[in-house]
Amino acid sequence: MESLPNPPVPQKIGAESNGSAANSNRLFDLRSSLSSVKLPVRNGAEVKLRLGKKMGSEARLCPKIEYGDGGYVLEDVPHLTDYLPDLPTYPNPLQDNTAYSVVKQYFVNLDDTVAQKIVVHKNSPRGTHFRRAGPRQKVYFESDEVHACIVTCGGLCPGLNTVIREIVCGLYDMYGVTKILGIEGGYRGFYARNTISLTAKSVNDIHKRGGTILGTSRGGHDTLKIVDSIQDRGINQVYIIGGDGTQKGASAIFEEIQRRGLKVAIAGIPKTIDNDIAVIDKSFGFDTAVEEAQRAINAAHVEAESVEHGIGVVKLMGRYSGFIAMYATLASRDVDCCLIPESPFYLEGKGGLLEFIERRLKENGHMVIVVAEGAGQDLLVKSMQSMDHEDASGNKLLLDVGLWLSQKIKVDFLDYIDAGFCLHDHKLLVKILTGTFCLQDHFSSNKKKMSINLKYIDPTYMIRAVPSNASDNVYCTLLAHSAIHGAMAGYTGFTIGPVNGRHAYIPFCRVTETCKKVVITDRMWARLLSSTNQPSFLSHEHIEDAKKEDEPSTESLPNDHDVRISDGSI
């Protein structure tokens, strides 16, 4: 693998197989040397260094980037030897573990990497790669030296307890670690709450319960206080479970630990029920959420088809990304219309939602609408007072699109069919929102009549609180074990996740710099439109703009946005 050109600029080198840093005197701080870096030119184009963001601070450079032949790019993760070059190494205790004695080649080759894109043209560059996850032959911690801690942050998600259990049991069963703390109440628990001791026995059956035994919270991130607590308690491995905001906080913790020169490994396990974490194939809890959403959709379908002109509206999670709504719709086959944040829609006029509702009710006599919580927010802002507020994690507080859409269908739908109906009565609004409003009472006998019966179902918190299903339980195990192997091998400042079915260590900046979204010009969204037979609600200009936004770079081709299932290989 060749290094960056321009000899005057030193290259940041990763740890060698013997555990020492190669030419440690050549290591340099990319952040302080940015102004003097002359970027290389490849294929006539200047190479841009990726930027990550520190929580509440200025942009930061991603860590080590190395180049190889054929357009190969490795976005590597930090290693303890980058700033502690003289650390000793020890044989991996897994080599004496009878459970793994049957594995022919259990240890991962140090040069193994995982390609971000696996569909390429004949002459395409090899593209971006990440370091493959898994156990190494040499580790940088002795078993009795490890003092680990686990913290869960942000909202609830199926599988949190499973990840906690597998980290504790994995550390104990594979590496003989016995000192493991649970940090209660999210980030603020480091300095404002008690800790609990976690053992393999105490976490044995927690995977059967929803939520998190450690408790969670939003916000509360104070980098200096957190690192002070880590240092005072003698903790040297930190496992942080949370979404993109939590991973930004983990990145800030890593930077402060690196600045202080502490031998502490920071490992992130990405958590978001919305499946909107960038780079990785999917996040844990997503399969469970899609499966559980079927219950709400089935209930809405039963209610809708049991009455004349019945409409079932189901609101699912999806603040900025509509993956749950899309996959739940595809899995159900009972949904007539799916609305997601990535695909704008309009109510009135030719080709609008109200016209489609009228046509579908005439054809089938009932319909089911699935709407992601972040869909149609631009329409809500126009018709209601804007709410420019954020929660403790920095997420914008969204208006309830489900209630709003239900009201619009019940009222504006009749306006659309027979102009002249207006809502002025406050008591009438209460009846609409409580589902006791009978439309035909508000139309004179000489006008066109169409009564509708609408049922609105919001299963959000029911879905978040359930235990993970079998598929997610296996996935959580792989995530936890990969994180453990990475921390024991001395890697730090990384997030773990499957990339094209292979688990890899990903720099924090890559999973926090952007949000993964449904690409409405991809085949998966086309499959949904084909399944529901709904209009796209997009003009020709919308489609062209979407295609321009999703044009692939020279390194990669657009993928199909299928949620990949890990094959279990790490």
Side-chain angles (χ1 to χ4, degrees), residues 317-330:
M317 289 78 66
R319 180 177 293 272
Y320 304 115
S321 302
F323 286 103
I324 292 180
M326 180 174 70
Y327 278 87
T329 295
L330 283 168

Side-chain angles (χ1 to χ4, degrees), residues 82-372:
D82 292 344
Y83 60 94
L84 298 172
D86 299 323
L87 289 179
T89 60
Y90 312 95
N92 194 321
L94 280 175
Q95 65 187 11
D96 300 320
N97 191 314
T98 56
Y100 298 94
S101 60
V102 297
V103 181
K104 292 182 178 179
Q105 187 179 352
Y106 188 73
F107 295 117
V108 173
N109 191 300
L110 290 177
D111 294 328
D112 284 356
T113 58
V114 178
Q116 184 175 9
K117 302 292 183 181
I118 57 174
V119 180
V120 296
H121 290 307
K122 179 180 179 181
N123 298 321
S124 296
R126 296 173 63 189
T128 300
H129 291 65
F130 301 103
R131 189 163 294 280
R132 186 184 177 192
R136 269 60 178 174
Q137 285 186 316
K138 299 292 184 180
V139 296
Y140 286 78
F141 294 91
E142 290 186 291
S143 299
D144 56 0
E145 171 194 2
V146 175
H147 190 189
C149 75
I150 306 169
V151 62
T152 54
C153 306
L156 294 182
C157 176
L160 282 171
N161 278 335
T162 306
V163 175
I164 294 170
R165 180 191 188 280
E166 295 308 315
I167 292 175
V168 174
C169 293
L171 281 169
Y172 178 77
D173 294 335
M174 294 188 295
Y175 291 96
V177 175
T178 57
K179 292 182 291 185
I180 308 170
L181 289 179
I183 306 298
E184 293 185 315
Y187 274 136
R188 62 170 50 91
F190 277 100
Y191 55 86
R193 296 285 296 273
N194 293 326
T195 62
I196 60 176
S197 178
L198 299 175
T199 65
K201 183 177 181 179
S202 67
V203 301
N204 182 56
D205 61 352
I206 63 173
H207 62 291
K208 301 175 184 177
R209 291 145 49 187
T212 165
I213 63 166
L214 299 179
T216 185
S217 67
R218 298 187 183 275
H221 186 279
D222 188 314
T223 304
L224 296 181
K225 287 183 178 180
I226 291 172
V227 177
D228 286 344
S229 175
I230 291 172
Q231 190 171 4
D232 293 343
R233 296 176 188 272
I235 294 170
N236 51 22
Q237 288 186 12
V238 183
Y239 297 92
I240 301 174
I241 310 169
D244 58 346
T246 300
Q247 302 303 311
K248 289 177 183 177
S251 179
I253 293 171
F254 158 71
E255 290 187 7
E256 178 61 19
I257 282 175
Q258 186 181 43
R259 188 188 68 80
R260 299 188 188 186
L262 304 178
K263 184 187 176 183
V264 179
I266 305 295
I269 294 95
K271 175 235 37 156
T272 169
I273 201 170
D274 294 345
N275 193 44
D276 58 359
I277 294 287
V279 181
I280 67 174
D281 297 344
K282 68 172 180 177
S283 51
F284 74 84
F286 175 73
D287 281 354
T288 304
V290 172
E291 182 177 307
E292 197 67 19
Q294 302 302 300
R295 299 175 183 270
I297 294 175
N298 291 341
H301 182 250
V302 170
E303 290 283 354
E305 70 174 355
S306 298
V307 295
E308 182 183 16
H309 297 150
I311 300 177
V313 177
V314 180
K315 187 185 79 170
L316 298 177
M317 289 78 66
R319 180 177 293 272
Y320 304 115
S321 302
F323 286 103
I324 292 180
M326 180 174 70
Y327 278 87
T329 295
L330 283 168
S332 170
R333 301 292 177 176
D334 287 331
V335 178
D336 298 278
C337 185
C338 178
L339 305 173
I340 61 174
E342 296 88 339
S343 182
F345 67 93
Y346 57 98
L347 294 176
E348 301 171 353
K350 185 174 178 58
L353 178 60
L354 296 180
E355 181 186 75
F356 175 66
I357 292 175
E358 180 188 13
R359 185 171 72 249
R360 186 53 59 90
L361 288 178
K362 288 180 179 179
E363 293 172 352
N364 297 342
H366 68 276
M367 72 178 300
V368 175
I369 301 173
V370 169
V371 55

